[in-house]
Amino acid sequence: ELDRLKDEFVAVASHELRTPLAAVYGAAITLRQQDLDTKARDSMLDLIFHQSDRLARIVNDVLWASQLESGRLGTTIEKCDGVELADEVLVEARARLPDGASLELVASGSVPAVEADVEKLRRVLVNLVDNAVKYSPEGGRIRVEIEPADGHVRFAVQDEGLGIPASEQERIFDKFHRLDPNLQRGVSGTGLGLYICRELVLQMNGRIWVESELGAGATFSFELPVAD
């Protein structure tokens, strides 16, 4: 089983890294060898920026997954303002949002603080928002809702994208599981993002789940305990 996971990891990671690396290399060669007008030059620089950002995210997922596997990832639970943190994540996400997509944060004015590891909560929110964007290839509204829920605070990330078949909903939090392994729907990924979310939420004494219908978007929700 361990050897199979290693083989799958190498196959997925190498494929996911190769594409953005090739794009960055090609754009750099074009910039060096051709006398481009301002519009073409800006287009090449934009491609380098976005593909480099994609590479950084792949590497981050690999590092988080590696730390989770090794048990080296410590947890520091403290009082945390989840609404403020979500707002920071959305501000950063809007800077790389594709055309046709929008991000909205909806939170009750009386949402209490949660008990959480700040960096782990940030990573969960980043991964879920990125996932919502990735599975919304035609754009649409992505909505992050935060509300009190019986001694917990519920975070929900809702999209209007491709949706998830019922047969896949139990498996999507498994390591390396991808909804579109053959890229038939044009969605790439390492299959690590949701696995990382599940493990981090569990380490913060919470729970995570998904509700979705194929073709009708998806809502990923998780709950964390309210801080004393």
Side-chain angles (χ1 to χ4, degrees), residues 2 11 16 36 64 71 84 102 170 180 195:
L2 184 59
E16 290 300 315
L36 304 175
W64 276 96
E84 182 178 312
S102 66
E170 290 296 322
D180 192 23
Y195 159 75

Side-chain angles (χ1 to χ4, degrees), residues 125-144:
L125 289 167
V126 166
N127 280 11
L128 290 181
V129 169
D130 283 353
N131 198 64
V133 172
K134 183 169 63 175
Y135 282 95
S136 304
E138 304 301 323
R141 183 178 65 171
I142 295 165
R143 182 182 175 98
V144 179

